Amino acid sequence: MEHSSDIIILGIESSCDDTSAAVIKNGYLLSNIIASQKVHEAYGGVVPELASRAHQQNIVPVVDQAIKQAGIKREEISAVAFTRGPGLLGSLLVGTSFAKGFALSSGIPMIDINHLQGHVLAHFIKEDGVEFNAPKFPHLCLLVSGGNSQIILVKDHLEMEVIGQTIDDAAGEAFDKCAKVLGMPYPGGPLIDKLAKEGNPNAFEFSKPRIKDLDYSFSGLKTSFLYFLRDQLKENENFIEENQPDLCASLQKTIIDILMAKLIKAAKQTGIKEITVAGGVSANSGLQNALRQEANKRRWNMYIPKFAFTMDNAAMIAITGYYKYQKGEFIGQDAIPFARMNINE
Ligand code: KG4
């Protein structure tokens, strides 16, 4: 039964290569449909033009399924929340245009969502039958994905400040680019994670950056990994095949050490012990272990999202929409997407 006070948000996410739609009612998730695009695997990375075409094909069936699975009627939806950026412009345009058409034809308001805020607020999605344990404010969020590596000071649901970020590649890019050098398909992050479980993390040592404050850098690691392999392959052309698990474990350890060092520094500097992690790389088992270990040692309250909420998904867009809806933060039909956006935009 719908009550007039119910807030039902349809979320739309299309910033990169996943087309997703979700329905959230009064903060509780009713559905979260994600269509991933396989077309990019052959190219070793996301091809923007192919991504936007696939979004166009996927968006109607994905939204349809999300509404059906939620068990609601279209007329019950209070507002449509869509990712405005950051992301690939062509991909964002598909979600933005769809949201405009849906809002106009349903006579409901639109809410523009910052994708980065969505990742941070993934921890606030409630699910029936699942204990709700959200981080308190202020907290620190380590946001690590294919496009971002940031430490965010989260003061309230919609009040955030980046206190550290990468000056070049993101952590996910480091995983994916090094995986490519090892001859793995895109995205290589999950495969490195899997192989690393069989390897020795101390077998090889790769250079770590010396970057000031709370910032990150990953491009040097990628280069040092590439040169190391080039030298080894001169001596032994089977070096990669013979050492794959050790290479993955050592590379993964280096990336985790880099991420953890600055997170620990940020926690010390701010005195904050509420720590969350978000974004695709937060699915990494080695990173999750390191976070749990440090949390034990330093008495942090650690929040790790469930797998479906680590990757790009519309549930996180819908929950952010839920908070913006309550503040009356809507946008008109003249909304345009932005490829680049800071966390507070
Ligand atoms: O948040 P996300 O789905 O979207 C983008 O920002 O693109 O993150 C995708 C990134 C990719 O770089 C992928 O390799 C990485 O997250 N990733 C992982 C793991 N699962 C996904 N990296 C390491 N270990 C994993 N288990």
Side-chain angles (χ1 to χ4, degrees):
M1 255 308 271
E2 190 211 358
H3 301 281
S4 56
S5 56
D6 284 338
I7 302 173
I8 301 183
I9 307 291
L10 170 69
I12 309 279
E13 156 64 26
S14 72
S15 66
C16 190
D17 59 342
D18 295 300
T19 318
S20 180
V23 176
I24 281 202
K25 179 176 178 179
N26 302 329
Y28 280 86
L29 185 66
L30 299 184
S31 63
N32 185 30
I33 308 295
I34 304 173
S36 296
Q37 303 176 0
K38 297 272 171 247
V39 61
H40 309 287
E41 270 171 18
Y43 300 93
V46 176
V47 184
E49 182 54 33
L50 295 180
S52 39
R53 286 187 209 176
H55 282 305
Q56 283 178 337
Q57 286 172 345
N58 293 342
I59 192 124
V60 171
V62 163
V63 170
D64 190 46
Q65 210 181 328
I67 292 175
K68 279 196 184 119
Q69 203 181 87
I72 55 150
K73 291 197 207 76
R74 185 180 160 163
E75 307 81 69
E76 294 178 65
I77 297 170
S78 318
V80 52
F82 66 97
T83 305
R84 188 181 192 183
L88 300 170
L89 205 56
S91 293
L92 290 164
L93 263 170
V94 178
T96 307
S97 308
F98 182 89
K100 285 182 187 181
F102 192 94
L104 200 61
S105 60
S106 310
I108 56 173
M110 282 196 304
I111 306 169
D112 59 318
I113 305 295
N114 182 317
H115 179 84
L116 304 174
Q117 289 191 2
H119 272 302
V120 174
L121 294 187
H123 290 277
F124 293 85
I125 300 166
K126 293 183 194 168
E127 287 181 282
D128 249 349
V130 180
E131 196 193 338
F132 182 60
N133 180 26
K136 287 154 207 75
F137 300 112
H139 65 255
L140 294 179
C141 176
L142 176 67
L143 172 54
V144 273
S145 68
N148 292 281
S149 293
Q150 302 184 327
I151 299 175
I152 300 161
L153 172 61
V154 188
K155 299 171 193 168
D156 206 342
H157 291 109
L158 300 170
E159 203 186 326
M160 306 176 190
E161 184 190 335
V162 174
I163 58 172
Q165 62 188 323
T166 182
I167 59 163
D168 42 55
D169 290 350
E173 259 178 303
F175 271 107
D176 297 340
K177 287 180 177 173
C178 291
K180 195 173 174 186
V181 176
L182 291 173
M184 295 173 179
Y186 175 86
L191 208 56
I192 291 195
D193 188 2
K194 195 169 157 215
L195 288 166
K197 290 184 181 131
E198 318 285 318
N200 172 8
N202 300 312
F204 307 109
E205 204 169 315
F206 306 112
S207 72
K208 291 187 191 139
R210 285 202 196 95
I211 302 288
K212 67 174 176 49
D213 304 327
L214 298 173
D215 288 339
Y216 288 118
S217 166
F218 288 100
S219 71
L221 170 62
K222 177 192 64 194
T223 312
S224 106
F225 190 67
L226 184 70
Y227 288 170
F228 170 78
L229 286 178
R230 192 189 290 172
D231 291 344
Q232 297 297 326
L233 286 168
K234 276 186 201 150
E235 309 286 321
N236 171 10
E237 61 178 25
N238 298 320
F239 182 78
I240 292 181
E241 293 87 87
E242 287 171 12
N243 295 280
Q244 212 175 34
D246 285 351
L247 283 167
C248 290
S250 303
L251 174 71
Q252 179 168 298
K253 179 178 185 292
T254 311
I255 295 174
I256 294 169
D257 285 352
I258 296 170
L259 290 173
M260 291 306 297
K262 292 295 171 84
L263 182 63
I264 292 166
K265 191 172 173 185
K268 277 189 189 156
Q269 263 179 23
T270 57
I272 293 174
K273 288 178 182 289
E274 292 279 309
I275 313 279
T276 75
V277 62
V281 181
S282 66
N284 184 270
S285 57
L287 178 60
Q288 293 193 357
N289 288 341
L291 287 165
R292 285 200 188 95
Q293 254 174 30
E294 287 304 325
N296 258 337
K297 188 167 140 194
R298 297 173 193 279
R299 301 188 183 284
W300 293 347
N301 290 324
M302 187 71 231
Y303 303 82
I304 294 175
K306 80 175 214 190
F307 179 72
F309 303 151
T310 63
M311 59 200 292
D312 288 348
N313 67 87
M316 69 186 201
I317 302 305
I319 194 71
T320 311
Y322 172 69
Y323 287 107
K324 288 189 88 169
Y325 184 93
Q326 292 172 81
K327 290 191 136 196
E329 292 186 16
F330 303 115
I331 194 160
Q333 283 284 331
D334 54 351
I336 48 166
F338 294 123
R340 290 174 179 275
M341 276 177 96
N342 293 323
I343 196 118
N344 270 328
E345 289 176 294

